[in-house]
Amino acid sequence: MGKTALVTGGTRGIGKAICLALKEAGYTVAANYAGNDEAAQAFKAETGIDVFKWSVADYDACVEGIAKVEAALGPVDILVNNAGITRDAPFHKMTPQQWNDVINTNLSGVFNMTHPLWNGMRERSFGRIVTISSINGQKGQFAQANYSAAKAGDLGFTKALAQEGARKNITVNAICPGYIATEMVMAVPEAVREQIISTIPVGRLGEADEIARCVVFLVSDEAGFITGATLTANGGQYMAS
Ligand code: CAA
């Protein structure tokens, strides 16, 4: 029987590319989204992939949403924690709300989604968890104390949980994209963006597909020996060890 994958923030940006690549690779795919109904409906019409609305920042909503996905498509074998937001501000201007929003979605959201799925994966002795972290969780970024903290936290989460999943054939890995041509990066002021691109050795932003291909590899049966890893895809902008 084919495997089922659930991708959070799956209807736009990198998440959309991940959904399409997983579908193309033969998986049954469900896309979660939190807010943009119009984009979600357009995505569904274009791809035929089922969409499910809830916020990953809300644990109870995750439990309920996952139950709906599993009732419709069967047990989730593969979770891609992709949903993420930015609330950039220099620290002296950052509000508690901006801090909490980013931590709740980008870090606690990963717990909220992984925890309800974990026991099922353990019982079935198979699972693939891939969390989309960021270059800015590795190197830090001006105006992103919140985002960098959350994304670095995702890497610690990945390394800890990989140790727990290993004996149950559950791999837990992270991908650190660099600057990818998505709405999130396009929202950065143009002059700042140009300055950032000038620091990327390959001389361009990445494409969402380039991250999606990393996900397809990490969730494959062939990647069963890779766990607790951080796969960096950033055009050479930051070479983390
Ligand atoms: N390093 C050092 N100083 C910097 C800086 C940097 N990287 N960027 C800005 N500054 C300085 C500015 O020169 C300015 O200095 P002065 O006060 O001396 O003029 C000061 O910091 C900024 O002051 P502002 O009042 O202009 O700041 P602001 O409140 O308007 O905020 C900003 C502007 C939010 C920082 C905006 O410049 C911005 O969005 N920067 C980009 C941040 C970024 O890279 N975010 C990543 C988004 S994409 C993403 O997150 C996806 C991913 O995973 C990669």
Side-chain angles (χ1 to χ4, degrees), residues 14 85-90 92-93 133-137 139 141-144 147 151 177-180 182 184-189 192-193 195-196 237:
I14 293 174
I85 60 170
T86 54
R87 297 287 182 268
D88 293 357
H92 64 281
K93 291 184 186 169
S133 175
S134 167
I135 184 176
N136 292 342
K139 73 169 184 58
Q141 170 60 36
F142 188 98
Q144 287 199 311
Y147 187 90
K151 294 295 189 177
Y179 283 75
I180 308 299
T182 61
M184 183 183 276
V185 168
M186 292 308 170
V188 172
V192 179
R193 202 168 58 242
Q195 193 280 326
I196 290 168
Q237 190 184 356

Side-chain angles (χ1 to χ4, degrees), residues 12 33-38 40 53-54:
R12 295 189 292 142
Y33 74 103
N36 190 332
D37 292 313
E38 203 180 317
K53 183 178 183 179
W54 75 86

